[in-house]
């Protein structure tokens, strides 16, 4: 306080000095030399005034905090606001569930939970509420729920607590479908690489030796009895054909582990669909429709890999039904949504979780590669593919990028 008082006195002295020199300059106005002398003398009080004012203005923050002292209540309020902000933006969906067990009202607690229940994500929010209320406290479990992009898996954990005398549960839900798919794809890719490598190492010499044996047998046909020659020729020919077939069979699986790096470029979807329509029209004869909304919709993607994924889906559609439709539009969040649907019998509910698994097929001659390859291609371009329950009959696949 003493220092502040001295500064104020300094301000007053500086101002008084300037005022006195101004009066003197006015009185001595006919004499320029004395006026210049007054101006030079004014530098000293001006400097004093500037320094005092500058030092008086520095403690402003301290003065503000002094006028609003930090109280324990204010610290508590600030801590609560910080905690609420953290909970609001935590990347896990948090829900409160009424009662310690059994059914109870479920309410979202943060932004992640509200986004999960918003249009475009969970297709049946009430069913998701019931699913959360069914979970036992103190356990973690992998659950599955329907979204507008198909079934998604999520890790859920529930804990019980009592707040203000009322028993409640706190549920944390973390969707992990994309992470599980990526891990499954990597595991399958490594398994296919090992299997095809080992099988091809054995099959290739068998196929080569069988062809060589057929040639040697043909050359020695004159020295062998006819019946023995015929039996040997039939056996060796069967071995050669079967080995060649297995080499081709295993080679097709190898394609799952050798998906090339995506060559991303800007693609106008309408042009890509026009190329596919021209390619597939002889097969579909006007029963395949493409639509893009808006027509100027573009995407950064490998056009060859997207075409291959759509061709695989449409091949399945052609085997299942007589009509199909491919539509593209932007979904909520600015993501591209390409939907492929047909009028076939659809996928049985019990098999829907396995249709993207390599080697799994419901067809008599199927190899289980087509849909697995679609999933590989979608992931290679930063997207996902889901089987979604159709509103009516048929099958519906949704590619999201």
């Amino acid at each position: 306080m003493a220092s502040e008082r001295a500064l104020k006195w300094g301000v007053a002295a500086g101002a008084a000095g300037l005022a006195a020199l101004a009066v003197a300059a006015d009185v001595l106005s006919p004499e320029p030399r004395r006026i210049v002398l007054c101006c030079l003398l004014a530098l000293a009080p001006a400097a004093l005034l500037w320094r005092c004012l500058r030092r008086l203005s520095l403690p402003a923050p301290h003065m503000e905090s002094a006028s609003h002292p930090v109280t324990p209540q204010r610290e508590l309020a600030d801590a609560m606001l910080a905690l609420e902000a953290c909970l609001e933006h935590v990347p896990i969906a948090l829900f409160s569930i009424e009662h310690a067990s059994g059914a109870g009202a479920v309410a979202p607690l943060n932004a992640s939970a509200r986004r999960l229940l918003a249009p475009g994500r969970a297709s049946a929010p009430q069913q998701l509420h019931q699913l959360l209320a069914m979970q036992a406290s103190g356990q973690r479990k992998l659950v599955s729920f329907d979204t507008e992009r198909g079934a998604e898996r999520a890790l859920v954990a529930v804990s019980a607590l009592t707040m203000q005398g009322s028993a409640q549960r706190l549920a944390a839900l973390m969707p992990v479908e994309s992470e599980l798919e990526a891990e499954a794809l990597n595991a399958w890719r490594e398994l296919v690489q090992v299997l095809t490598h080992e099988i091809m190492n054995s099959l290739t010499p068998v196929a080569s030796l069988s062809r060589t044996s057929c040639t040697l047998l043909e050359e020695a046909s004159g020295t062998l009895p006819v019946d023995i020659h015929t039996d040997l020729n039939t056996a060796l020919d069967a071995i050669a054909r079967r080995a060649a077939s297995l080499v081709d069979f295993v080679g097709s699986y190898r394609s799952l582990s050798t998906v090339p790096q995506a060559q991303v470029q800007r693609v106008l979807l309408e042009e890509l669909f026009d190329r596919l329509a021209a390619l597939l029209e002889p097969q579909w004869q006007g029963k395949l429709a493409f639509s893009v909304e808006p027509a100027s919709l573009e995407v950064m993607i490998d056009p060859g890999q997207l075409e291959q994924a759509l061709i695989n889906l449409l091949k399945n559609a052609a085997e299942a039904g007589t009509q199909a439709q491919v539509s593209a539009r932007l979904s909520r969040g600015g993501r591209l949504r390409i939907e492929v649907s047909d009028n076939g019998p659809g996928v049985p509910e019990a098999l829907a979780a396995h249709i993207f698994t390599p080697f799994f097929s419901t067809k008599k001659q199927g190899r289980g590669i087509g849909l697995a390859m679609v999933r590989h291609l979608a992931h290679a371009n930063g997207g996902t593919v889901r089987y979604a329950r159709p509103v009516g009959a048929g099958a519906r696949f949704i590619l999201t990028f």
Side-chain angles (χ1 to χ4, degrees):
M1 292 299 293
S3 176
E4 183 180 345
R5 188 178 299 111
L7 292 173
K8 291 180 178 178
W9 276 109
V11 171
L18 288 176
L21 289 171
V23 173
D26 183 60
V27 173
L28 301 173
S29 56
E31 300 180 25
R33 290 182 181 179
R34 294 184 178 181
I35 293 175
V36 171
L37 179 62
C38 290
C39 291
L40 292 175
L41 292 174
L43 291 176
L48 176 63
L49 180 62
W50 178 78
R51 291 185 59 184
C52 292
L53 288 175
R54 183 169 177 269
R55 294 181 62 182
L56 281 172
S57 61
L58 286 177
H62 175 72
M63 293 174 63
E64 182 180 358
S65 62
S67 62
H68 300 283
V70 178
T71 62
Q73 292 78 8
R74 184 176 178 183
E75 288 183 346
L76 180 61
D78 291 343
M80 289 296 294
L81 288 175
L83 180 60
E84 287 181 2
C86 292
L87 290 176
E88 179 67 14
H89 299 287
V90 71
I92 298 177
L94 298 175
F95 297 86
S96 66
I97 308 174
E98 200 177 30
H99 307 314
S101 62
V106 179
L109 292 179
N110 63 353
S112 297
R114 288 191 291 274
R115 282 196 295 268
L116 196 61
L117 299 175
R121 290 300 304 275
S123 56
Q126 194 58 37
Q127 292 182 6
L128 178 58
H129 289 174
Q130 294 175 359
L131 180 66
L132 293 175
M134 290 169 52
Q135 305 307 313
S137 300
Q139 295 183 359
R140 294 182 180 180
K141 189 176 179 182
L142 193 64
V143 298
S144 177
F145 61 97
D146 291 331
T147 71
E148 292 191 6
R149 294 182 295 177
E152 285 195 21
R153 289 170 289 179
L155 188 64
V156 61
V158 178
S159 60
L161 69 161
T162 301
M163 294 183 65
Q164 298 177 342
S166 175
Q168 297 182 10
R169 283 166 288 167
L170 180 65
L173 187 72
M174 175 179 281
V176 291
E177 183 65 34
S178 298
E179 290 75 11
L180 291 177
E181 279 190 4
E183 288 299 318
L185 284 175
N186 289 332
W188 276 113
R189 188 179 295 115
E190 293 176 2
L191 177 62
V192 169
Q193 280 180 340
V194 172
L195 288 179
T196 55
H197 177 74
E198 296 300 322
I199 294 174
M200 291 294 279
N201 281 349
S202 300
L203 273 180
T204 302
V206 169
S208 176
L209 285 174
S210 60
R211 289 193 298 270
T212 303
S213 299
C214 288
T215 304
L216 293 174
L217 180 64
E218 190 63 28
E219 292 174 357
S221 60
T223 61
L224 292 174
V226 176
D227 55 342
I228 294 178
H229 176 269
T230 302
D231 291 344
L232 285 175
N233 187 53
T234 303
L236 291 174
D237 183 65
I239 293 173
R241 289 177 182 276
R242 190 57 191 155
S245 175
L246 286 175
V247 168
D248 178 64
F249 184 74
V250 175
S252 63
Y253 285 111
R254 179 177 281 180
S255 62
L256 287 176
S257 62
T258 56
V259 174
Q261 186 76 22
Q263 303 298 317
V264 177
Q265 57 183 275
R266 187 177 297 276
V267 176
L268 184 62
L269 278 175
E270 190 175 37
E271 293 181 355
L272 188 144
F273 283 3
D274 288 343
R275 291 197 298 269
L276 280 178
L279 178 67
L280 300 174
E281 177 57 26
Q283 178 184 6
W284 286 89
Q285 298 292 323
K287 301 295 181 62
L288 174 61
F290 289 88
S291 63
V292 183
E293 184 182 352
S296 60
L297 192 56
E298 295 181 330
V299 60
M300 295 296 295
I301 205 167
D302 186 320
Q305 293 188 353
L306 178 58
E307 288 179 1
Q308 186 61 54
L310 293 175
I311 287 173
N312 285 9
L313 291 174
L314 290 172
K315 181 182 177 184
N316 286 350
E319 294 172 352
T322 57
Q323 293 182 347
Q325 184 173 6
V326 182
S327 61
R329 63 180 174 83
L330 286 179
S331 61
R332 292 179 179 87
R335 296 178 67 83
L336 172 65
R337 175 189 173 108
I338 300 178
E339 186 172 321
V340 181
S341 56
D342 63 57
N343 65 343
V347 179
E349 183 74 21
L351 303 180
H354 308 290
I355 56 176
F356 291 105
T357 304
F359 317 134
F360 179 85
S361 177
T362 58
K363 304 170 190 172
K364 190 174 182 180
Q365 301 297 328
R367 296 181 176 182
I369 296 177
L371 289 179
M373 179 59 74
V374 171
R375 193 168 69 165
H376 274 73
L377 295 173
H379 273 259
N381 286 272
T384 60
V385 58
R386 302 273 194 277
Y387 174 74
R389 290 186 180 88
V391 179
R396 186 163 65 112
F397 292 89
I398 298 175
L399 291 154
T400 306
F401 298 96

